[in-house]
């Protein structure tokens, strides 16, 4: 140790051992262990290997202990003053990240860490580096993701709220002889949706596309509250596809007095063919409840379609539509089995 010799007395060893049992600062524990190991005659290389630190750290701790005793083992960064990234800083950062950069005078809508650092310095007077900003973003749970495209609802806020509350109340107070479903359509493309996947360094996975795209369409209904799916498949997304689904619902619930269907305002739901269907003896049991325009987040079946794409259509390697649709139907049947079991376990 270049002439540095550490000799702890018996009482000092007992006092340090007692401190270590109560100590919760991992870095401080490591420094004390370095001192104890030096006292026991171990070499800096052995200590560094055992404690997973560098030899420089071992020497630095030894010198500080020689010069200042146990006080030299305390983290001296507290002398720098209070933490820059404190709770107040993180609260402001949360609000800034939730907004758009052009709202703060920048000429672009998206944030970079450099822009966040400068904006936060203007708002708080605190300047930090890139590494500190990365840690601060992780602390507030920020992530670098893709925004979701949305279209604003043309209804007033009060009208939208009334409609959503009415549907919510209906589903919460459903009589025993009535059933309710969320309904929507989904497109299935033979050309796969491209999405992120894990890859090894230096490799980029390839997804072969058949070239000429082929489409199929599903009209699906998800039951409240157990999420069981009923669906029909078609080569065209039109009123007849929707009507076929309504007949499947009526067939699945012959004893239901009313079958409530919560759905969006897509044009195929408003045609004369649909109106005529609802006037038939079987169709009169079906009641449609339209969500406010452009409110897909309130249609619970949308999540099932997202899961379908994530588990089947994204980056798929099917060479023909028949193979792809087999996987789609297999996934939905498995979905029904799993949700049924979860519903029974929760009941």
């Amino acid at each position: 140790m270049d002439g540095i010799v550490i000799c702890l007395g018996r009482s000092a060893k007992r006092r340090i051992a007692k401190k270590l049992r109560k100590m919760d600062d991992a870095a401080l524990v490591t420094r004390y262990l370095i001192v104890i190991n030096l006292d026991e005659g171990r070499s800096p290389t052995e200590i560094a290997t055992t404690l997973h630190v560098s030899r420089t750290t071992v020497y630095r701790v030894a010198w500080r202990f020689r010069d200042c005793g146990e006080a030299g083992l305390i983290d001296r960064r507290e002398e720098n003053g209070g933490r820059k990234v404190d709770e107040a800083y993180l609260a402001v950062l949360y609000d800034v990240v939730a907004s758009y950069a052009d709202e703060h005078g920048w000429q672009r809508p998206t944030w970079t860490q450099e822009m966040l650092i400068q904006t936060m310095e203007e708002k708080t007077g605190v300047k930090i580096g890139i590494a500190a900003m990365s840690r601060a973003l992780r602390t507030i749970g920020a992530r670098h993701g893709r925004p979701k495209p949305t279209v604003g609802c043309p209804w007033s806020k009060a009208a939208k709220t009334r409609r959503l509350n009415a549907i919510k109340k209906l589903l919460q107070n459903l009589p025993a002889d009535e059933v309710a479903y969320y309904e929507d359509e989904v497109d299935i493309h033979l050309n796969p949706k491209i999405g992120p996947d894990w890859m090894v360094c230096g490799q980029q996975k390839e997804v072969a596309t058949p070239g000429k795209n082929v489409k199929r369409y599903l009209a699906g209904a998800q039951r409240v509250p157990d999420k069981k799916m009923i669906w029909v498949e078609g080569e065209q997304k039109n009123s007849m596809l929707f009507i076929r689904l309504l007949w499947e619902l009526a067939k699945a619930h012959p004893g239901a007095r009313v079958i409530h269907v919560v759905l969006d305002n897509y044009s195929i739901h408003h045609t004369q063919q649909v109106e005529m269907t609802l006037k038939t003896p079987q169709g009169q049991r079906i009641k449609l409840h339209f969500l406010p325009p452009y409110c897909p987040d309130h249609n619970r079946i949308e999540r099932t379609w997202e899961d379908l794409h994530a588990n089947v259509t994204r980056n798929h390697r099917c060479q023909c539509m028949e193979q792809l649709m087999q996987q789609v139907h297999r996934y939905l049947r498995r979905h029904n089995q799993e949700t049924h079991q979860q519903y029974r376990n929760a009941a």
Side-chain angles (χ1 to χ4, degrees), residues 20 35 57 83 104 139 187 209 248 265 273 336 338:
L20 284 173
V35 171
T57 299
R83 293 176 58 86
H104 299 268
T139 301
D187 300 4
T209 58
E248 288 296 323
N265 290 271
Q273 295 166 307
N336 279 352
E338 293 174 353

Side-chain angles (χ1 to χ4, degrees), residues 40-55:
E40 293 176 352
R42 293 187 177 88
S43 70
T45 301
E46 291 175 329
I47 298 171
T49 302
T50 302
L51 300 180
H52 303 288
V53 297
S54 67
R55 281 167 49 89

Side-chain angles (χ1 to χ4, degrees), residues 100 146-151 296-297 306:
Y100 293 91
R146 298 179 182 178
K148 179 177 65 175
T150 59
V151 180
D297 290 344
E306 291 176 8

Side-chain angles (χ1 to χ4, degrees), residues 4-22:
I4 297 177
V5 178
I6 293 180
C7 294
L8 298 174
R10 185 176 300 176
S11 61
K13 290 181 179 180
R14 286 198 297 267
R15 185 179 65 256
I16 289 176
K18 186 176 180 180
K19 281 186 176 181
L20 284 173
R21 286 194 292 269
K22 299 179 179 180

Side-chain angles (χ1 to χ4, degrees), residues 157-194:
K157 185 176 180 179
K160 176 182 174 180
T161 302
R162 282 196 300 270
R163 176 63 62 84
L164 293 175
N165 286 342
I167 293 174
K168 182 178 179 181
K169 184 177 179 180
L170 167 72
L171 299 181
Q172 289 178 340
N173 301 283
L174 204 63
D177 59 349
E178 299 181 8
V179 294
Y181 283 84
Y182 287 100
E183 190 278 341
D184 194 28
E185 292 77 28
V186 65
D187 300 4
I188 307 296
H189 293 244
L190 183 58
N191 280 343
K193 289 178 173 288
I194 305 300

Side-chain angles (χ1 to χ4, degrees), residues 181-182 218 220-231 300-309 311-312 326-344:
Y181 283 84
Y182 287 100
L218 295 182
Q222 180 172 286
R223 190 164 67 188
V224 180
D226 62 0
K227 300 182 180 180
K228 180 181 178 180
M229 291 287 296
I230 293 178
W231 68 94
R300 301 294 177 82
I301 196 175
E302 290 281 358
R303 177 57 188 269
T304 301
W305 293 150
E306 291 176 8
D307 292 342
L308 172 67
H309 286 309
N311 287 277
V312 180
Q326 286 178 3
Q327 295 189 12
V328 168
H329 294 304
R330 186 182 304 118
Y331 173 80
L332 292 175
R333 287 193 294 268
R334 186 169 67 250
H335 164 86
N336 279 352
Q337 294 173 355
E338 293 174 353
T339 55
H340 176 68
Q341 187 61 44
Q342 292 170 2
Y343 183 73
R344 288 186 59 184

